């Protein structure tokens, strides 16, 4: 009976709280709620636990989570999936004294029920509308499964392909990365929090996580503040400007201070300069990791440094739960700091509408409607095919004829299913039935009278050559061989740095053996990063970089292989010739001794044992047709400080297929108060042209586009001479020039 009275009391309190929501605005509602909270309840809001699976870090045994939720000691859960599970935990949360609802977070990185290409691959589409729509679909599906918050987009600029997490971001370029960040935040948050299909986005990992020394995950980062502002912060600023609800800090130390306890980036820049009003969640256990960093001597020291620096929520370290009460009671942490963090979190719960209806994301009908959604699968196929990059097509081997008599498909990924999801996919138990393997995709496209042979040939990462003979046997019988090689899906992603980024295992040996048969080969490269495959690049007729394309991988690949779609992807990262060339990226400085050409070794900045250029440059990608980009025109040879100029080119489809081209605009600031990159992407547009069709493409360039951070880390533009390059990669040669005048 007592329990029933208590529940009734609570419900009446909640109903009062709930009914008050309509009348009061967010601030006054939250301030009112905050005024009722004990210190223990406030600290509870800063505490996030992992749920039932998907741990990406150390799990600390912590006894009965549900009991703690009931006591108001938990503010958020991650990795709790589905309306049943989230409803159950939400019901428990509402039994706490003030009935503050939980927020449920998950790594919805590139899709949820429907998996899209890994973000690096999707960025290769250079199609911002597509990127946004994929995030929108992911949010719609995740929200239907009770998820309020995704730990995405990852916006870390990365110039080192040894780092496994390049797969998760938008590559090496700050401009493209900023555009992708904006698109993904808009996609995830849709028309804004409060809409039932919106989820909070989380720009991560703040900051400069992609600059880990040696491309080794979690390693240190050390750079000038100028470089930090110039290269690594802009995608986060783009996310904040796009209204991102949260940020997640990174594991690494930056210039000696771990990001988690780094008040320069969290308080001075993010919450100060940028006036960010959302909240910051730590990365998994990163608060506690300041102890092994050697920056905190114990949990209390770690908690103190993190909360003071501006990390609002503690994912899975328990430092806040275990020590903040005493830190406040002993005056080491002002309660105002706690209140600020709690208020930021409660405001988001309010914006999500969870005080009005804590169960609004727990709708079984909506969950069912977002399961195996045919429209979403159709778009996944669209996203997949537009992410594929054609690297080589000697003698126009591609597209293949659907009536090809005999096709042999060989390789460890040919019949894989869940592997096509790549890392960071919320793979569901029934996914293997939904995922279209590459083999099935090819089979589905081939004429029914065509013969399709298959041999795995080898495993993804061992020295077993027993399958070679069978592979060679079927290759001999085929008119064309399709080989699906690369690196395993779990060889890129978090904690997946590789010192050797060639094909893993004996895959390249298998390729060479099959090539000896003289059969034409179409090579599909499955990867979460740029790989090194120089032999294949110089000897295999046709190469498609297929990343990991998600649920519809097989159909997307087959659409391209058989020409139902003319590939249009462009590389979002530079591809090195050897690991020794790393870091190599297109927007480098010129140095005082630039090499004159690829083979200049004469006292210039070059390796004596390797040619100077990358294997493939940033922005590179071929088509089944050809495009001519010509007639670069500037509206003026002078740009005034508050002015702009337009840049136009003619783009003509000069080949035999309709197709799409990504026209890219780069600038070069010839002389600056600091040295300036030899190229900087400042615009791009993807256009579709029928064969023979020509279109004028016009870019607008403003003086603000020329700004950079000077030696004093001030964002300025400087008068002087600039070059413009327009083309279909960062190696564009079509050139113009103008002067920025005062
Ligand atoms: C991981 C990742 C982070 C992810 C979090 C939750 O360690 O670094 O990106 O969102 O933990 O899974």
């Amino acid at each position: 009976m007592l329990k029933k009275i208590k529940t009734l009391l609570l419900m009446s309190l909640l109903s009062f709280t709930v009914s008050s929501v309509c009348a009061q605005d967010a601030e006054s509602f939250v301030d009112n709620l905050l005024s009722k909270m004990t210190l223990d309840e406030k600290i509870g809001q800063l505490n996030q636990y992992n749920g039932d699976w998907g741990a990406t870090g150390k799990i600390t045994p912590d006894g009965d989570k549900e009991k703690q939720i009931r006591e108001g000691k938990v503010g958020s859960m991650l990795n709790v999936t589905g309306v049943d599970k989230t409803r159950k935990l939400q019901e428990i949360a509402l039994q706490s004294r003030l009935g503050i609802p939980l927020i449920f977070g998950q790594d919805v990185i590139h899709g949820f029920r429907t998996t899209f290409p890994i973000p690096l691959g999707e960025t290769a589409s250079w199609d911002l509308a597509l990127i946004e729509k994929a995030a929108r679909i992911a949010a719609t599906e995740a929200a239907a499964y009770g998820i309020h918050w995704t730990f995405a987009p990852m916006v870390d600029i990365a110039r080192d392909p040894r780092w496994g997490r390049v797969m998760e971001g938008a590559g090496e370029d700050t401009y493209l990365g900023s555009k992708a960040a904006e698109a993904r935040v808009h996609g995830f948050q849709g028309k804004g929090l409060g809409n039932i299909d919106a989820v909070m986005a989380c720009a991560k990992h703040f900051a400069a996580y992609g600059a880990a020394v040696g491309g080794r995950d979690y390693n240190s980062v050390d750079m000038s503040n100028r470089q930090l502002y110039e290269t690594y912060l802009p995608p986060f600023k783009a996310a904040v400007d796009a209204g991102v609800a949260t940020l997640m800090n990174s594991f690494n130390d930056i210039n000696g201070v771990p990001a988690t306890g780094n008040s320069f980036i969290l308080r001075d820049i993010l919450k100060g300069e940028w006036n960010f009003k959302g909240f910051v969640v730590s990365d998994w256990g990163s608060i506690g990791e300041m102890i092994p960093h050697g920056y905190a001597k114990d949990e209390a020291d770690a908690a103190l440094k993190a909360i003071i620096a501006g990390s609002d929520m503690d994912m899975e370290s328990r430092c806040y739960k275990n020590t903040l009460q005493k830190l406040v009671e002993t005056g080491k942490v002002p309660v105002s700091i706690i209140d600020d963090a709690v208020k930021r979190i409660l405001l988001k719960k309010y914006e999500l509408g969870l005080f009005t209806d804590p169960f609004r994301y727990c709708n079984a009908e909506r969950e069912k409607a977002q399961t195996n959604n045919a429209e979403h699968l159709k778009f996944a196929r669209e996203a997949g095919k537009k992410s594929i990059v054609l690297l080589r097509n000697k003698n126009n081997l591609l597209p293949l004829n659907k009536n090809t008599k005999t096709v042999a498909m060989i390789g460890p990924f040919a019949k894989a299913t869940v592997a096509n999801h790549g890392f960071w996919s919320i793979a569901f138990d029934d996914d293997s039935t939904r995922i279209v393997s590459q083999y099935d995709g090819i089979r589905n496209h081939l004429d029914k009278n065509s013969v399709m042979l298959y041999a795995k040939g080898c495993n993804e990462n061992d020295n077993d050559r027993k399958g070679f003979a069978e592979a060679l046997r079927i290759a001999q019988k085929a008119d064309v061989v399709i080989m699906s090689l690369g690196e395993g899906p779990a060889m890129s992603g978090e904690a997946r740095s590789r010192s050797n980024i060639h094909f893993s295992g004996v895959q390249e040996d298998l390729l060479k053996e099959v090539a000896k048969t003289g059969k034409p080969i179409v090579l599909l490269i499955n990867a979460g990063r740029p790989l090194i495959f120089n032999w294949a690049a110089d000897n295999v007729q046709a190469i498609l970089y297929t990343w990991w394309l998600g649920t519809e991988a097989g159909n997307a690949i087959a659409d391209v292989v058989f020409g139902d779609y003319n590939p249009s992807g462009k590389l979002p990262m530079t591809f090195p010739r050897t690991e020794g060339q790393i870091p190599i990226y297109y927007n480098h400085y010129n140095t005082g001794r630039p090499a004159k050409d690829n083979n200049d070794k004469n006292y210039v900045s070059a390796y004596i044992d390797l040619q100077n250029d990358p294997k493939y440059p940033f922005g590179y990608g071929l088509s089944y047709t050809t495009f001519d980009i010509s007639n670069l025109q500037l509206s003026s040879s002078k740009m005034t400080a508050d002015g702009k100029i337009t840049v136009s080119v003619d783009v003509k489809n000069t080949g035999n297929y309709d197709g799409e081209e990504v026209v890219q605009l780069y600038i070069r600031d010839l002389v600056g108060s600091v040295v300036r990159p030899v190229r900087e992407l400042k615009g791009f547009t993807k256009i579709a042209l029928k064969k023979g069709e020509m279109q004028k493409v016009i870019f607008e360039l403003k003086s603000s586009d020329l700004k950079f951070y000077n030696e004093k880390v001030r964002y300025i533009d400087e008068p002087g001479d600039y070059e413009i390059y327009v083309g279909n990669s960062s190696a564009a040669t079509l050139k113009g020039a103008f002067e920025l005048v005062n």
Side-chain angles (χ1 to χ4, degrees):
M1 186 55 184
L2 181 63
K3 189 168 183 304
K4 192 165 171 48
I5 294 170
K6 188 167 180 283
T7 307
L8 283 171
L9 269 176
L10 282 174
M11 293 316 286
S12 60
L13 174 72
L14 184 65
S15 63
F16 160 75
T17 316
V18 166
S19 60
S20 70
V21 159
C22 311
Q24 297 164 311
D25 64 23
E27 288 284 332
S28 59
F29 173 80
V30 165
D31 288 341
N32 179 41
L33 179 54
L34 199 60
S35 66
K36 296 187 174 71
M37 295 171 76
T38 63
L39 177 59
D40 188 42
E41 288 165 335
K42 290 176 182 177
I43 293 167
Q45 288 301 305
L46 311 184
N47 187 30
Q48 181 186 60
Y49 282 148
N50 184 51
D52 40 15
W53 69 286
T56 51
K58 182 170 65 71
I59 290 266
T60 310
D62 51 11
D64 181 352
K65 281 177 196 166
E66 291 185 5
K67 176 173 177 294
Q68 294 179 57
I69 292 171
R70 192 170 288 111
E71 291 166 352
K73 295 181 187 299
V74 185
S76 171
M77 295 292 289
L78 74 143
N79 293 332
V80 177
T81 307
V83 298
D84 294 342
K85 289 183 179 172
T86 51
R87 176 179 289 276
K88 174 174 178 276
L89 294 183
Q90 200 67 293
E91 282 168 347
I92 295 171
L94 295 186
Q95 294 166 21
S96 61
R97 189 178 73 86
L98 291 171
I100 298 173
L102 295 165
I103 36 178
F104 294 99
Q106 189 140 39
D107 293 292
V108 184
I109 308 292
H110 54 110
F112 187 73
R113 285 293 315 191
T114 306
T115 301
F116 291 98
I118 57 169
L120 186 65
E122 195 180 79
T123 307
S125 70
W126 292 57
D127 184 333
L128 298 175
L130 177 149
I131 290 170
E132 179 169 342
K133 184 171 177 182
R136 185 83 296 275
I137 289 172
T140 304
E141 293 184 352
Y145 272 70
I147 306 299
H148 304 128
W149 180 21
T150 177
F151 306 127
M154 184 274 220
V155 303
D156 302 307
I157 295 297
R159 294 168 159 173
D160 191 328
R162 292 171 295 179
W163 189 50
R165 299 195 78 162
V166 296
M167 57 73 59
E168 200 177 338
E172 72 185 42
D173 182 70
T174 300
Y175 179 87
L176 179 58
S178 299
K179 293 293 183 187
E182 179 186 12
R184 286 175 171 138
V185 168
H186 285 153
F188 287 127
Q189 298 186 171
K191 296 191 180 71
L193 304 188
N195 287 283
I196 196 59
D197 60 0
V199 297
M200 290 200 297
C202 179
K204 69 184 187 183
H205 305 78
F206 196 60
Y209 182 29
V213 170
R216 204 172 75 236
D217 209 351
Y218 315 122
N219 204 2
S220 297
V221 168
D222 211 284
M223 63 177 69
S224 66
N225 283 343
R226 199 188 72 76
Q227 185 64 253
L228 183 64
Y229 272 89
E230 179 87 7
T231 303
Y232 294 89
L233 291 181
F236 288 98
K237 181 66 168 56
V240 169
D241 291 346
V244 73
T246 66
L247 265 77
M248 180 184 290
N249 57 37
S250 55
F251 290 115
N252 54 285
D253 51 275
I254 307 173
N255 301 336
V257 178
T260 306
N262 195 312
S263 59
F264 172 60
I265 62 168
L266 291 167
R267 293 252 182 245
D268 298 352
I269 298 176
L270 178 64
K271 297 179 178 179
E273 279 173 50
W274 298 354
N275 194 28
F276 177 65
K277 296 298 182 192
F279 70 86
V280 176
V281 63
S282 79
D283 203 338
W284 188 296
S286 69
I287 294 175
E289 289 179 8
M290 289 200 284
I291 300 167
H293 264 294
Y295 188 69
K297 63 177 183 300
D298 55 25
E299 279 194 346
D301 193 26
L304 181 141
K305 285 170 175 164
I307 196 74
I308 296 286
S311 287
D312 301 304
M313 184 180 279
D314 173 3
M315 179 191 287
E316 272 293 333
S317 90
R318 287 143 182 79
C319 293
Y320 283 6
K321 166 185 160 287
N322 294 342
T323 69
L324 272 184
Q325 179 100 14
K326 189 158 176 235
L327 287 167
V328 172
E329 286 163 355
T330 55
K332 289 188 181 134
V333 172
V335 72
S336 59
I337 292 273
I338 304 288
D339 287 351
D340 175 68
V342 174
K343 183 168 180 176
R344 289 170 180 270
I345 293 165
L346 294 178
L347 282 169
K348 290 304 169 202
K349 293 186 177 183
Y350 179 94
E351 286 175 45
L352 283 165
L354 296 179
F355 288 108
T356 313
D357 175 6
F359 303 105
R360 61 197 305 259
Y361 281 65
C362 304
N363 177 310
E365 282 313 304
R366 209 166 40 239
E367 181 180 81
K368 189 165 178 292
Q370 293 304 336
T371 304
N372 302 344
N373 181 304
E375 276 308 300
H376 296 172
L377 289 168
K378 193 164 152 238
F379 187 74
R381 179 170 178 166
E382 180 83 6
K385 63 193 187 187
K386 293 191 168 186
S387 301
I388 293 169
V389 183
L390 175 63
L391 295 179
R392 197 176 201 231
N393 192 19
K394 192 175 173 196
N395 305 327
N396 295 320
L397 172 62
L398 287 173
L400 297 185
N401 188 313
K402 292 180 182 178
N403 298 315
T404 303
K405 193 168 173 304
T406 305
V407 172
M409 192 154 190
I410 299 169
F413 307 115
K415 286 201 169 183
T417 51
V418 178
N420 289 292
H421 276 179
F423 202 87
W424 287 123
S425 68
I426 318 280
F428 287 78
D429 47 13
D430 62 353
D431 260 4
S432 54
T433 55
R434 295 171 55 230
I435 300 171
V436 182
S437 72
Q438 297 170 27
Y439 175 89
D440 288 344
I442 299 293
R443 179 67 268 180
N444 296 343
H445 279 66
L446 264 180
D447 182 275
K448 61 182 184 311
N449 298 319
S450 298
V451 175
M452 193 158 170
L453 306 172
Y454 164 74
K456 187 176 181 185
C458 69
N459 297 316
E460 71 178 49
N461 191 19
D462 64 23
N463 295 321
D464 182 349
R465 287 173 166 74
K466 286 195 293 297
F468 279 32
E470 174 61 8
L472 295 173
R473 190 182 67 76
I474 69 163
Q476 292 290 9
K477 291 182 171 180
D479 298 302
V480 66
V481 179
I482 299 175
M483 294 193 74
S484 181
L485 306 174
E487 63 173 358
M491 295 180 76
S492 63
E494 182 175 358
R496 300 304 194 275
S497 299
R498 292 181 65 195
S499 64
N500 166 337
I501 54 173
H502 291 66
F503 292 173
S504 48
V506 293
Q507 297 181 69
E508 188 162 67
D509 296 343
L510 173 66
L511 174 63
K512 289 176 177 174
E513 288 306 310
V514 171
K516 285 177 187 167
T517 66
K519 300 291 182 178
I521 295 174
V522 175
L523 174 59
L524 310 177
I525 300 180
N526 307 271
R529 55 160 51 92
L531 293 180
I532 292 169
F533 46 95
N534 296 316
W535 186 89
D538 300 335
N539 294 281
V540 170
Q541 291 91 317
I543 302 175
L544 293 168
Y545 219 75
T546 58
W547 313 102
W548 292 109
L549 294 175
T551 311
E552 282 287 317
N555 284 332
I557 289 169
D559 285 341
V560 168
V561 166
F562 291 101
D564 290 352
Y565 180 73
N566 180 357
S568 61
K570 301 284 181 183
L571 298 177
M573 281 186 81
T574 301
F575 277 51
R577 294 178 178 278
T578 71
E579 288 86 357
Q581 219 177 14
I582 296 169
I584 181 168
Y585 45 92
Y586 87 93
N587 47 353
H588 59 83
Y589 300 133
N590 203 33
T591 78
R593 294 194 174 191
K596 285 192 297 297
D597 56 40
N598 271 338
N599 301 306
D600 180 4
K601 309 294 177 191
N602 186 22
Y603 292 96
V604 293
S605 183
Y607 298 101
I608 59 170
D609 56 355
L610 184 70
Q611 66 184 77
N612 300 331
D613 63 348
K615 191 65 187 172
Y616 299 105
F618 171 81
Y620 172 87
L622 300 177
S623 169
Y624 293 153
T625 189
T626 50
F627 294 96
D628 178 59
I629 301 174
S630 62
N631 189 25
L632 191 155
Q633 300 286 332
L634 276 63
S635 58
S636 167
S637 62
K638 292 188 185 313
M639 182 196 288
T640 57
D642 56 356
K644 60 190 173 197
I645 58 173
T646 59
V647 182
S648 69
V649 288
D650 294 338
V651 185
K652 183 170 185 180
N653 181 337
T654 51
N656 301 318
Y657 289 90
D658 298 350
E660 292 158 284
E661 181 59 295
V662 180
V663 186
Q664 303 155 46
L665 180 141
Y666 297 85
I667 65 163
R668 180 180 182 180
D669 179 356
L670 293 178
V671 178
S673 59
V674 290
V675 294
R676 310 291 299 122
V678 295
R679 297 268 167 112
E680 292 176 82
L681 181 68
K682 290 294 180 184
F684 63 88
T685 183
K686 187 165 192 174
I687 58 169
L689 292 175
K690 296 198 176 311
K691 57 186 178 188
E693 185 185 0
M694 184 175 85
Q695 185 178 319
K696 191 173 282 296
V697 171
I698 299 174
F699 295 96
E700 183 177 87
L701 204 53
K702 304 183 294 299
S703 59
S704 56
D705 295 325
L706 310 179
K707 287 192 169 188
F708 63 95
Y709 287 90
N710 70 3
E711 206 175 357
K712 293 184 171 48
V713 197
R714 292 213 179 82
Y715 196 47
I716 54 129
D717 54 39
E718 292 177 340
D721 294 323
Y722 291 77
E723 289 171 347
I724 284 181
Y725 294 88
V726 178
N728 59 9
S729 88
S730 56
T733 53
L734 184 60
K735 181 176 167 183
F738 71 93
E739 182 189 0
L740 175 65
V741 296
N742 272 327

